[in-house]
């Protein structure tokens, strides 16, 4: 048997541009399930989790701080508070309009 037939070609990895990654991270943050978002995009959930962790590490500056449970809890509380604030702002606009 020749060496060419036994030699396997390496798998080619897909490259994703920054715009796709940003959109994927946005979709995952808006979705209740990161796995569902990954499935919708046709990518591995592990890949999406890695992108999320890389983004968090870039924001915080350290892997240890990014993985700290207290920091994770505080970030989740902040996210919920920001969502509540957005809802209240929209409600203020809707209910603040004079009736005709």
């Amino acid at each position: 048997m020749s060496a060419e037939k036994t030699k396997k070609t390496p798998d080619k990895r897909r490259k994703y541009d920054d715009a796709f990654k940003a959109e994927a991270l946005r979709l995952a943050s808006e979705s209740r399930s990161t796995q569902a978002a990954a499935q919708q995009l046709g990518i591995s959930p592990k890949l999406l989790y890695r992108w999320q962790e890389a983004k968090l590490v870039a924001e915080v500056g350290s892997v240890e701080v990014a993985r700290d449970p207290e920091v994770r809890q505080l970030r989740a509380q902040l996210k919920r508070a920001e969502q509540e604030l957005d809802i209240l702002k929209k409600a203020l606009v809707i209910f603040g309009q004079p009736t005709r």
Side-chain angles (χ1 to χ4, degrees), residues 32-95:
R32 288 195 171 265
S33 169
T34 301
Q35 289 185 349
Q39 186 177 22
Q40 185 179 358
L41 293 167
I43 61 175
S44 167
K46 288 182 181 182
L47 179 62
L48 191 52
Y49 283 123
R50 270 188 275 145
W51 291 347
Q52 286 175 328
E53 185 175 6
K55 179 183 176 191
L56 186 59
V57 168
E59 290 173 356
V60 176
S62 162
V63 174
E64 292 79 22
V65 174
R67 291 185 178 166
D68 185 6
E70 185 179 7
V71 172
R72 294 174 73 105
Q73 179 188 10
L74 292 172
R75 285 185 172 276
Q77 287 176 346
L78 176 62
K79 183 178 176 181
R80 273 187 243 113
E82 288 173 342
Q83 289 174 341
E84 289 174 6
L85 182 61
D86 288 342
I87 291 169
L88 290 172
K89 284 179 182 179
K90 291 175 184 177
L92 182 63
V93 170
I94 292 170
F95 295 115

